[in-house]
PDB file of all heavy atoms in Angstrom:
ATOM      1  N   ALA A 262      14.755 -22.226 -81.639  1.00 91.00           N
ATOM      2  CA  ALA A 262      14.568 -23.392 -82.518  1.00 91.00           C
ATOM      3  C   ALA A 262      14.604 -22.974 -83.973  1.00 91.00           C
ATOM      4  O   ALA A 262      15.217 -23.621 -84.845  1.00 91.00           O
ATOM      5  CB  ALA A 262      13.237 -24.060 -82.188  1.00 91.00           C
ATOM      6  N   VAL A 263      13.968 -21.891 -84.266  1.00 90.00           N
ATOM      7  CA  VAL A 263      13.936 -21.393 -85.656  1.00 90.00           C
ATOM      8  C   VAL A 263      15.341 -21.102 -86.143  1.00 90.00           C
ATOM      9  O   VAL A 263      15.750 -21.499 -87.238  1.00 90.00           O
ATOM     10  CB  VAL A 263      13.059 -20.123 -85.739  1.00 90.00           C
ATOM     11  CG1 VAL A 263      13.348 -19.313 -86.972  1.00 90.00           C
ATOM     12  CG2 VAL A 263      11.590 -20.530 -85.688  1.00 90.00           C
ATOM     13  N   LYS A 265      18.074 -22.277 -85.234  1.00 86.00           N
ATOM     14  CA  LYS A 265      18.872 -23.515 -85.346  1.00 86.00           C
ATOM     15  C   LYS A 265      18.580 -24.222 -86.673  1.00 86.00           C
ATOM     16  O   LYS A 265      19.453 -24.795 -87.302  1.00 86.00           O
ATOM     17  CB  LYS A 265      18.510 -24.403 -84.172  1.00 86.00           C
ATOM     18  CG  LYS A 265      19.428 -25.580 -83.988  1.00 86.00           C
ATOM     19  CD  LYS A 265      19.045 -26.396 -82.780  1.00 86.00           C
ATOM     20  CE  LYS A 265      19.644 -27.774 -82.975  1.00 86.00           C
ATOM     21  NZ  LYS A 265      19.019 -28.738 -82.125  1.00 86.00           N
ATOM     22  N   GLU A 266      17.348 -24.188 -87.095  1.00 84.00           N
ATOM     23  CA  GLU A 266      16.961 -24.875 -88.353  1.00 84.00           C
ATOM     24  C   GLU A 266      17.643 -24.270 -89.583  1.00 84.00           C
ATOM     25  O   GLU A 266      18.055 -24.962 -90.503  1.00 84.00           O
ATOM     26  CB  GLU A 266      15.452 -24.777 -88.538  1.00 84.00           C
ATOM     27  CG  GLU A 266      14.698 -25.994 -88.046  1.00 84.00           C
ATOM     28  CD  GLU A 266      13.198 -25.848 -88.247  1.00 84.00           C
ATOM     29  OE1 GLU A 266      12.788 -25.069 -89.123  1.00 84.00           O
ATOM     30  OE2 GLU A 266      12.459 -26.504 -87.525  1.00 84.00           O
ATOM     31  N   GLU A 270      23.743 -27.774 -89.333  1.00 58.00           N
ATOM     32  CA  GLU A 270      24.257 -28.179 -88.028  1.00 58.00           C
ATOM     33  C   GLU A 270      25.564 -28.914 -88.198  1.00 58.00           C
ATOM     34  O   GLU A 270      25.699 -29.743 -89.099  1.00 58.00           O
ATOM     35  CB  GLU A 270      23.256 -29.099 -87.338  1.00 58.00           C
ATOM     36  CG  GLU A 270      21.971 -28.399 -86.914  1.00 58.00           C
ATOM     37  CD  GLU A 270      22.162 -27.602 -85.663  1.00 58.00           C
ATOM     38  OE1 GLU A 270      23.247 -27.731 -85.029  1.00 58.00           O
ATOM     39  OE2 GLU A 270      21.241 -26.852 -85.303  1.00 58.00           O
ATOM     40  N   VAL A 274      25.054 -34.293 -82.847  1.00 52.00           N
ATOM     41  CA  VAL A 274      24.581 -33.559 -81.645  1.00 52.00           C
ATOM     42  C   VAL A 274      24.054 -34.597 -80.692  1.00 52.00           C
ATOM     43  O   VAL A 274      23.013 -35.181 -80.913  1.00 52.00           O
ATOM     44  CB  VAL A 274      23.474 -32.583 -82.030  1.00 52.00           C
ATOM     45  CG1 VAL A 274      22.961 -31.876 -80.786  1.00 52.00           C
ATOM     46  CG2 VAL A 274      23.984 -31.588 -83.041  1.00 52.00           C
ATOM     47  N   SER A 275      24.793 -34.866 -79.719  1.00 53.00           N
ATOM     48  CA  SER A 275      24.315 -35.916 -78.798  1.00 53.00           C
ATOM     49  C   SER A 275      23.506 -35.313 -77.647  1.00 53.00           C
ATOM     50  O   SER A 275      22.294 -35.467 -77.572  1.00 53.00           O
ATOM     51  CB  SER A 275      25.498 -36.718 -78.270  1.00 53.00           C
ATOM     52  OG  SER A 275      26.410 -35.835 -77.667  1.00 53.00           O
ATOM     53  N   LEU A 280      18.412 -27.809 -77.328  1.00 50.00           N
ATOM     54  CA  LEU A 280      18.010 -28.467 -78.582  1.00 50.00           C
ATOM     55  C   LEU A 280      16.777 -27.778 -79.121  1.00 50.00           C
ATOM     56  O   LEU A 280      15.851 -27.499 -78.363  1.00 50.00           O
ATOM     57  CB  LEU A 280      17.674 -29.927 -78.326  1.00 50.00           C
ATOM     58  CG  LEU A 280      18.821 -30.900 -78.461  1.00 50.00           C
ATOM     59  CD1 LEU A 280      18.376 -32.291 -78.115  1.00 50.00           C
ATOM     60  CD2 LEU A 280      19.363 -30.875 -79.891  1.00 50.00           C
ATOM     61  N   PRO A 281      16.756 -27.479 -80.399  1.00 51.00           N
ATOM     62  CA  PRO A 281      15.534 -26.883 -80.937  1.00 51.00           C
ATOM     63  C   PRO A 281      14.432 -27.918 -80.958  1.00 51.00           C
ATOM     64  O   PRO A 281      14.682 -29.124 -80.896  1.00 51.00           O
ATOM     65  CB  PRO A 281      15.960 -26.468 -82.341  1.00 51.00           C
ATOM     66  CG  PRO A 281      17.107 -27.334 -82.661  1.00 51.00           C
ATOM     67  CD  PRO A 281      17.785 -27.674 -81.375  1.00 51.00           C
ATOM     68  N   GLU A 282      13.246 -27.439 -81.118  1.00 50.00           N
ATOM     69  CA  GLU A 282      12.109 -28.368 -81.045  1.00 50.00           C
ATOM     70  C   GLU A 282      11.826 -28.979 -82.413  1.00 50.00           C
ATOM     71  O   GLU A 282      10.843 -28.692 -83.060  1.00 50.00           O
ATOM     72  CB  GLU A 282      10.888 -27.607 -80.562  1.00 50.00           C
ATOM     73  CG  GLU A 282      10.955 -27.277 -79.068  1.00 50.00           C
ATOM     74  CD  GLU A 282       9.740 -26.522 -78.620  1.00 50.00           C
ATOM     75  OE1 GLU A 282       8.818 -26.309 -79.424  1.00 50.00           O
ATOM     76  OE2 GLU A 282       9.678 -26.117 -77.449  1.00 50.00           O
ATOM     77  N   ARG A 283      12.733 -29.732 -82.774  1.00 53.00           N
ATOM     78  CA  ARG A 283      12.527 -30.410 -84.071  1.00 53.00           C
ATOM     79  C   ARG A 283      12.686 -31.888 -83.857  1.00 53.00           C
ATOM     80  O   ARG A 283      13.365 -32.306 -82.943  1.00 53.00           O
ATOM     81  CB  ARG A 283      13.577 -29.912 -85.066  1.00 53.00           C
ATOM     82  CG  ARG A 283      13.571 -28.394 -85.112  1.00 53.00           C
ATOM     83  CD  ARG A 283      14.298 -27.855 -86.285  1.00 53.00           C
ATOM     84  NE  ARG A 283      13.860 -28.476 -87.512  1.00 53.00           N
ATOM     85  CZ  ARG A 283      14.596 -28.475 -88.614  1.00 53.00           C
ATOM     86  NH1 ARG A 283      15.765 -27.894 -88.626  1.00 53.00           N
ATOM     87  NH2 ARG A 283      14.178 -29.085 -89.735  1.00 53.00           N
ATOM     88  N   PRO A 284      12.052 -32.669 -84.656  1.00 50.00           N
ATOM     89  CA  PRO A 284      12.181 -34.139 -84.462  1.00 50.00           C
ATOM     90  C   PRO A 284      13.625 -34.570 -84.612  1.00 50.00           C
ATOM     91  O   PRO A 284      14.359 -34.077 -85.451  1.00 50.00           O
ATOM     92  CB  PRO A 284      11.304 -34.726 -85.571  1.00 50.00           C
ATOM     93  CG  PRO A 284      11.013 -33.596 -86.499  1.00 50.00           C
ATOM     94  CD  PRO A 284      11.143 -32.347 -85.753  1.00 50.00           C
ATOM     95  N   LEU A 285      13.959 -35.460 -83.775  1.00 50.00           N
ATOM     96  CA  LEU A 285      15.357 -35.863 -83.685  1.00 50.00           C
ATOM     97  C   LEU A 285      15.856 -36.523 -84.978  1.00 50.00           C
ATOM     98  O   LEU A 285      17.005 -36.406 -85.348  1.00 50.00           O
ATOM     99  CB  LEU A 285      15.542 -36.848 -82.524  1.00 50.00           C
ATOM    100  CG  LEU A 285      15.915 -36.191 -81.172  1.00 50.00           C
ATOM    101  CD1 LEU A 285      15.887 -37.222 -80.085  1.00 50.00           C
ATOM    102  CD2 LEU A 285      17.262 -35.512 -81.270  1.00 50.00           C
ATOM    103  N   GLU A 286      14.944 -37.231 -85.661  1.00 49.00           N
ATOM    104  CA  GLU A 286      15.387 -37.953 -86.881  1.00 49.00           C
ATOM    105  C   GLU A 286      15.856 -36.956 -87.925  1.00 49.00           C
ATOM    106  O   GLU A 286      16.862 -37.162 -88.591  1.00 49.00           O
ATOM    107  CB  GLU A 286      14.260 -38.784 -87.484  1.00 49.00           C
ATOM    108  CG  GLU A 286      13.641 -39.759 -86.509  1.00 49.00           C
ATOM    109  CD  GLU A 286      12.460 -39.152 -85.765  1.00 49.00           C
ATOM    110  OE1 GLU A 286      12.202 -37.909 -85.939  1.00 49.00           O
ATOM    111  OE2 GLU A 286      11.846 -39.837 -84.992  1.00 49.00           O
ATOM    112  N   ASP A 287      15.127 -35.861 -88.052  1.00 49.00           N
ATOM    113  CA  ASP A 287      15.550 -34.868 -89.055  1.00 49.00           C
ATOM    114  C   ASP A 287      16.949 -34.387 -88.758  1.00 49.00           C
ATOM    115  O   ASP A 287      17.781 -34.246 -89.624  1.00 49.00           O
ATOM    116  CB  ASP A 287      14.593 -33.663 -89.037  1.00 49.00           C
ATOM    117  CG  ASP A 287      13.202 -34.078 -89.520  1.00 49.00           C
ATOM    118  OD1 ASP A 287      13.113 -35.135 -90.143  1.00 49.00           O
ATOM    119  OD2 ASP A 287      12.253 -33.335 -89.252  1.00 49.00           O
ATOM    120  N   LEU A 288      17.172 -34.160 -87.565  1.00 47.00           N
ATOM    121  CA  LEU A 288      18.480 -33.639 -87.156  1.00 47.00           C
ATOM    122  C   LEU A 288      19.575 -34.613 -87.571  1.00 47.00           C
ATOM    123  O   LEU A 288      20.564 -34.226 -88.152  1.00 47.00           O
ATOM    124  CB  LEU A 288      18.513 -33.460 -85.645  1.00 47.00           C
ATOM    125  CG  LEU A 288      18.103 -32.081 -85.118  1.00 47.00           C
ATOM    126  CD1 LEU A 288      18.015 -32.125 -83.614  1.00 47.00           C
ATOM    127  CD2 LEU A 288      19.067 -31.019 -85.585  1.00 47.00           C
ATOM    128  N   ASN A 289      19.371 -35.851 -87.202  1.00 49.00           N
ATOM    129  CA  ASN A 289      20.413 -36.848 -87.499  1.00 49.00           C
ATOM    130  C   ASN A 289      20.685 -36.923 -88.993  1.00 49.00           C
ATOM    131  O   ASN A 289      21.827 -36.982 -89.422  1.00 49.00           O
ATOM    132  CB  ASN A 289      19.988 -38.223 -86.989  1.00 49.00           C
ATOM    133  CG  ASN A 289      20.109 -38.289 -85.464  1.00 49.00           C
ATOM    134  OD1 ASN A 289      20.912 -37.530 -84.909  1.00 49.00           O
ATOM    135  ND2 ASN A 289      19.351 -39.141 -84.838  1.00 49.00           N
ATOM    136  N   LEU A 290      19.585 -36.874 -89.713  1.00 49.00           N
ATOM    137  CA  LEU A 290      19.755 -36.975 -91.161  1.00 49.00           C
ATOM    138  C   LEU A 290      20.592 -35.819 -91.675  1.00 49.00           C
ATOM    139  O   LEU A 290      21.510 -35.981 -92.446  1.00 49.00           O
ATOM    140  CB  LEU A 290      18.378 -36.940 -91.844  1.00 49.00           C
ATOM    141  CG  LEU A 290      17.635 -38.281 -91.848  1.00 49.00           C
ATOM    142  CD1 LEU A 290      16.223 -38.100 -92.355  1.00 49.00           C
ATOM    143  CD2 LEU A 290      18.364 -39.288 -92.733  1.00 49.00           C
ATOM    144  N   GLU A 291      20.235 -34.690 -91.178  1.00 48.00           N
ATOM    145  CA  GLU A 291      20.961 -33.511 -91.619  1.00 48.00           C
ATOM    146  C   GLU A 291      22.422 -33.618 -91.247  1.00 48.00           C
ATOM    147  O   GLU A 291      23.287 -33.276 -92.004  1.00 48.00           O
ATOM    148  CB  GLU A 291      20.376 -32.257 -90.973  1.00 48.00           C
ATOM    149  CG  GLU A 291      19.042 -31.865 -91.565  1.00 48.00           C
ATOM    150  CD  GLU A 291      18.438 -30.706 -90.818  1.00 48.00           C
ATOM    151  OE1 GLU A 291      19.124 -30.119 -89.913  1.00 48.00           O
ATOM    152  OE2 GLU A 291      17.307 -30.368 -91.110  1.00 48.00           O
ATOM    153  N   GLU A 292      22.646 -34.157 -90.127  1.00 47.00           N
ATOM    154  CA  GLU A 292      24.048 -34.231 -89.694  1.00 47.00           C
ATOM    155  C   GLU A 292      24.842 -35.160 -90.581  1.00 47.00           C
ATOM    156  O   GLU A 292      25.939 -34.842 -90.989  1.00 47.00           O
ATOM    157  CB  GLU A 292      24.125 -34.709 -88.242  1.00 47.00           C
ATOM    158  CG  GLU A 292      23.791 -33.593 -87.258  1.00 47.00           C
ATOM    159  CD  GLU A 292      23.229 -34.149 -85.975  1.00 47.00           C
ATOM    160  OE1 GLU A 292      23.409 -35.350 -85.716  1.00 47.00           O
ATOM    161  OE2 GLU A 292      22.614 -33.357 -85.230  1.00 47.00           O
ATOM    162  N   ARG A 294      24.235 -35.942 -93.578  1.00 52.00           N
ATOM    163  CA  ARG A 294      24.450 -35.332 -94.883  1.00 52.00           C
ATOM    164  C   ARG A 294      25.520 -34.259 -94.776  1.00 52.00           C
ATOM    165  O   ARG A 294      26.345 -34.090 -95.650  1.00 52.00           O
ATOM    166  CB  ARG A 294      23.145 -34.694 -95.380  1.00 52.00           C
ATOM    167  CG  ARG A 294      22.414 -35.588 -96.393  1.00 52.00           C
ATOM    168  CD  ARG A 294      21.115 -34.976 -96.834  1.00 52.00           C
ATOM    169  NE  ARG A 294      20.026 -35.394 -95.977  1.00 52.00           N
ATOM    170  CZ  ARG A 294      19.027 -34.608 -95.655  1.00 52.00           C
ATOM    171  NH1 ARG A 294      18.974 -33.360 -96.100  1.00 52.00           N
ATOM    172  NH2 ARG A 294      18.072 -35.055 -94.884  1.00 52.00           N
ATOM    173  N   GLN A 341      25.409 -23.993 -81.816  1.00 49.00           N
ATOM    174  CA  GLN A 341      24.121 -23.713 -81.191  1.00 49.00           C
ATOM    175  C   GLN A 341      24.174 -22.391 -80.431  1.00 49.00           C
ATOM    176  O   GLN A 341      23.301 -21.547 -80.539  1.00 49.00           O
ATOM    177  CB  GLN A 341      23.764 -24.827 -80.192  1.00 49.00           C
ATOM    178  CG  GLN A 341      23.421 -26.145 -80.834  1.00 49.00           C
ATOM    179  CD  GLN A 341      21.992 -26.146 -81.361  1.00 49.00           C
ATOM    180  OE1 GLN A 341      21.265 -25.175 -81.199  1.00 49.00           O
ATOM    181  NE2 GLN A 341      21.606 -27.237 -82.014  1.00 49.00           N
ATOM    182  N   LYS A 385      16.309 -24.273 -96.570  1.00 45.00           N
ATOM    183  CA  LYS A 385      15.450 -24.497 -95.390  1.00 45.00           C
ATOM    184  C   LYS A 385      15.523 -23.299 -94.469  1.00 45.00           C
ATOM    185  O   LYS A 385      14.506 -22.828 -93.971  1.00 45.00           O
ATOM    186  CB  LYS A 385      15.918 -25.744 -94.641  1.00 45.00           C
ATOM    187  CG  LYS A 385      15.360 -27.025 -95.220  1.00 45.00           C
ATOM    188  CD  LYS A 385      15.671 -28.213 -94.305  1.00 45.00           C
ATOM    189  CE  LYS A 385      15.475 -29.505 -95.151  1.00 45.00           C
ATOM    190  NZ  LYS A 385      16.241 -30.619 -94.663  1.00 45.00           N
ATOM    191  N   ASN A 389      12.756 -21.116 -93.391  1.00 43.00           N
ATOM    192  CA  ASN A 389      12.435 -20.907 -91.963  1.00 43.00           C
ATOM    193  C   ASN A 389      12.507 -19.443 -91.602  1.00 43.00           C
ATOM    194  O   ASN A 389      11.713 -18.932 -90.844  1.00 43.00           O
ATOM    195  CB  ASN A 389      13.382 -21.710 -91.081  1.00 43.00           C
ATOM    196  CG  ASN A 389      13.028 -23.178 -91.129  1.00 43.00           C
ATOM    197  OD1 ASN A 389      11.901 -23.509 -91.499  1.00 43.00           O
ATOM    198  ND2 ASN A 389      13.957 -24.029 -90.776  1.00 43.00           N
TER     199      ASN A 389
END
Side-chain angles (χ1 to χ4, degrees):
Chain A
V263 161
K265 191 178 159 198
E266 264 180 23
E270 291 282 351
V274 178
S275 56
L280 270 177
E282 286 180 4
R283 308 195 51 201
L285 268 172
E286 305 91 354
D287 293 342
L288 268 173
N289 286 335
L290 279 172
E291 286 175 7
E292 282 153 18
R294 260 178 270 144
Q341 290 280 358
K385 276 189 197 155
N389 286 340

